[in-house]
Amino acid sequence: VRTKEETPNLALVMVVDKSGSMGRCHCDNPDAQRGEYAAVYSGQPKVDIAKEAIMRAAGALGSRDYLGVVAFDSAARWAVEVSPLVDVIALETSIGGLPAEGQTNLQAGLEAGYAALDNVEARFKHVILLTDGWVREGELLPLAAEKREQGITLSVVAAGEGSARYLEELAESGGGRFYPAVDILRVPDFFLKETVQAVGRYIVEEPFYPLPAMPSSILRGIDVATAPPLLGYNGTTPKGTARVVLATPREDPLLATWQYGLGRAVAWTSDLQPRWAVEWLGWDAFNRFVAQWVGW
């Protein structure tokens, strides 16, 4: 979903832990004191997986979105200053050299991310924090709650089994979501999912009448003007080569078709259940509509 306004849609800051524990150390007790556990060094460094996650998430942003990346160990450093989305090569170069070293200072990382978003104009402001949570910072809970009231939300991705349980409370205070990445390789998936959810408002629940947008054999013999209202849909933006057959009053796609080689696909953004389409199920042209859609 892309905003139709001139202001940026989303200002997103990724706050990434690059402390020593984000290396190949996969430890199972974040509350243990140093010396009370045996570190197990195996697999891909968590900080490298974090870089992949940043690249994956950036791919879901658009030209009107802002992105920033702040990396922290004992202090916070900006890998990418908050700005309109940079190109892929520049982003990869900026984050490519982040090593896993130093102590963990969650507060420095989060405060830097929040401070940068204070000065940005955008419809939505969001922080994604990635850390394995080795340092417990109780002061962060009221900070996250305060920023939530100011319109900046926070979600947390807990990297691996070594993540402290308080991170879930931090996400709750920040008004966002918590992703426990027990399998560290799931972190890029979580970053992408979180970014997609933050980009725009996807569920539009309001009565509306469909509007014809483009001729199609799917509508042969059907007078859309006689159709009853629908009660909601999933907001989307059509790809450049999609054909939007039916649209909503907000100019979002309702029914779109796609030709890919010899293959065909249809996207219907409402439902076919007695929720949004409850009145459509009794419409006398409904069966023909669906049959011609499937036939196409």
Side-chain angles (χ1 to χ4, degrees), residues 13 43 53 62 82-83 104 124-125 155-156 171 178 193 215 219 234 241 264 283 290 294 296:
V13 169
V82 178
S83 61
T104 305
F124 304 105
K125 300 181 182 182
S155 290
V156 180
F178 175 70
K193 179 179 179 181
L219 300 180
N234 295 278
T241 53
R264 287 176 169 181
W283 180 35
V290 175
V294 175
W296 184 86

Side-chain angles (χ1 to χ4, degrees), residues 4 201 204-206 208 211 233 247-253:
K4 296 180 177 65
R201 178 170 176 250
V204 180
E205 290 195 296
E206 60 187 17
F208 70 94
L211 303 173
Y233 65 97
T248 74
R250 292 174 179 256
E251 300 180 354
D252 293 327

Side-chain angles (χ1 to χ4, degrees), residues 14 36 51:
M14 304 181 196
E36 294 181 5
K51 296 171 190 175

Side-chain angles (χ1 to χ4, degrees), residues 218 256-260 263-267 293 296:
I218 294 175
T257 62
W258 179 274
Q259 182 90 28
Y260 189 84
R264 287 176 169 181
V266 173
W293 157 7
W296 184 86

Side-chain angles (χ1 to χ4, degrees), residues 117-128:
L117 287 176
D118 283 336
N119 301 317
V120 175
E121 292 293 330
R123 292 174 65 219
F124 304 105
K125 300 181 182 182
H126 190 57
V127 176
I128 304 177

Side-chain angles (χ1 to χ4, degrees), residues 21 40 54 97 100 115 137 142 157 159 169 220 232 241 244 250 253 283 285:
S21 60
V40 178
I54 293 169
E137 297 281 358
V157 179
E169 299 177 23
R220 186 177 58 250
T241 53
V244 178
R250 292 174 179 256
W283 180 35

Side-chain angles (χ1 to χ4, degrees), residues 175-236:
R177 289 158 291 273
F178 175 70
Y179 299 89
V182 175
D183 178 0
I184 189 64
L185 297 179
R186 293 292 310 281
V187 167
D189 293 335
F190 291 147
F191 261 56
L192 176 59
K193 179 179 179 181
E194 180 61 21
T195 303
V196 166
Q197 290 198 358
V199 162
R201 178 170 176 250
Y202 280 74
I203 304 299
V204 180
E205 290 195 296
E206 60 187 17
F208 70 94
Y209 289 92
L211 303 173
M214 189 174 291
S216 170
S217 60
I218 294 175
L219 300 180
R220 186 177 58 250
I222 297 174
D223 184 0
V224 178
T226 67
L230 289 159
L231 304 182
Y233 65 97
N234 295 278
T236 62

